[in-house]
Amino acid sequence: MSQAILILVSLVLVLIFLDRLVNVFPSLVACVIRWKESINLEASVKLGRDRNLTALLMLLPFCLVATRFRLYDPAFMSVMDDTARLGAILTVAIAYVLLRAMLTHLLRNGKISPKPYQAACNSFYTFFIMLTLCLLAMAGIMPFTDMEPEVIKNAMLWLSAMAYAVFLLRKTQIFMSSCSLFTAFSYLCALEIIPTGALTVSAFVF
């Protein structure tokens, strides 16, 4: 019952702020296609605010999908019911976002200009929104195709991996607009390997 309530809450919130999503959506698509659009988006206070709010609204739907299709399924969750599993996944997701924010803050005064650095780091929110929208579409369509749950799960995981790969490429390109390839790669390792590596390890070790 609690999950049904949370799904309803998510739907209501998305509907309330739907105009924000509609307003920023063309810029989000452009950011996926061209790295320079992330710079342009970051330069707009309104678009940046709408993007960040939309990313926050997508957190709960993303966790609901991850719970439903077992996208994050470490062994310690095997004894949990769906409500406890959702709570655990929400906790892990919030910890992941906070770790990323902490690393972004700690490394911001480096060799990269502030604006490209902020645009590169905040591009995570752009790709998170686009990935969540795609996962929600898959969650709504694929169960009606008589596919096995494991097939749907694998398709979602592959989509997530491809989205993350494109995100890394765009983030590197934004960094390189203000520094050398070596420096860009160093920042990428520090900002991505630590949080994403910790998340990946936790899924297999625990």
Side-chain angles (χ1 to χ4, degrees):
M1 179 62 71
S2 59
Q3 283 201 50
I5 294 174
L6 289 175
I7 291 172
L8 181 60
V9 169
S10 297
L11 180 60
V12 170
L13 287 174
V14 170
L15 289 175
I16 291 174
F17 295 100
L18 184 60
D19 59 326
R20 304 288 186 94
L21 174 58
V22 171
N23 178 58
V24 78
F25 186 75
S27 294
L28 300 181
V29 174
C31 289
V32 173
I33 299 172
R34 296 181 298 274
W35 68 266
K36 290 184 179 180
E37 294 299 331
S38 293
I39 303 290
N40 297 334
L41 190 154
E42 206 62 36
S44 170
V45 175
K46 178 173 175 51
L47 287 177
R49 185 171 58 243
D50 288 348
R51 187 267 316 277
N52 295 346
L53 176 60
T54 303
L56 179 61
L57 294 175
M58 290 292 112
L59 181 61
L60 181 55
F62 176 85
C63 291
L64 286 167
V65 172
T67 301
R68 167 67 178 81
F69 294 97
R70 302 293 193 265
L71 301 185
Y72 180 75
D73 194 27
F76 73 87
M77 288 188 183
S78 61
V79 297
M80 295 181 179
D81 60 20
D82 284 347
T83 300
R85 182 182 289 268
L86 174 59
I89 289 178
L90 269 170
T91 301
V92 170
I94 292 171
Y96 176 73
V97 171
L98 290 177
L99 178 57
R100 295 185 67 93
M102 183 186 71
L103 291 171
T104 298
H105 177 75
L106 290 175
L107 297 173
R108 66 180 178 177
N109 296 319
K111 298 180 180 180
I112 300 178
S113 300
K115 289 183 179 179
Y117 179 79
Q118 199 65 31
C121 293
N122 286 344
S123 65
F124 170 77
Y125 301 126
T126 297
F127 281 84
F128 174 69
I129 294 168
M130 298 302 289
L131 172 62
T132 302
L133 291 174
C134 290
L135 291 178
L136 288 171
M138 293 174 70
I141 295 171
M142 296 186 75
F144 295 101
T145 61
D146 294 327
M147 289 186 179
E148 294 293 328
E150 191 67 21
V151 174
I152 298 176
K153 173 183 176 179
N154 289 335
M156 288 182 169
L157 289 175
W158 275 108
L159 175 64
S160 301
M162 288 188 290
Y164 190 70
V166 176
F167 160 65
L168 291 181
L169 173 61
R170 296 290 178 253
K171 189 168 185 175
T172 302
Q173 290 173 320
I174 298 170
F175 279 152
M176 288 180 61
S177 69
S178 182
C179 66
S180 67
L181 174 60
F182 176 77
T183 301
F185 183 74
S186 299
Y187 271 98
L188 195 69
C189 289
L191 292 168
E192 293 300 329
I193 288 180
I194 294 175
T196 304
L199 180 66
T200 302
V201 168
S202 70
F204 291 100
V205 173
F206 301 105

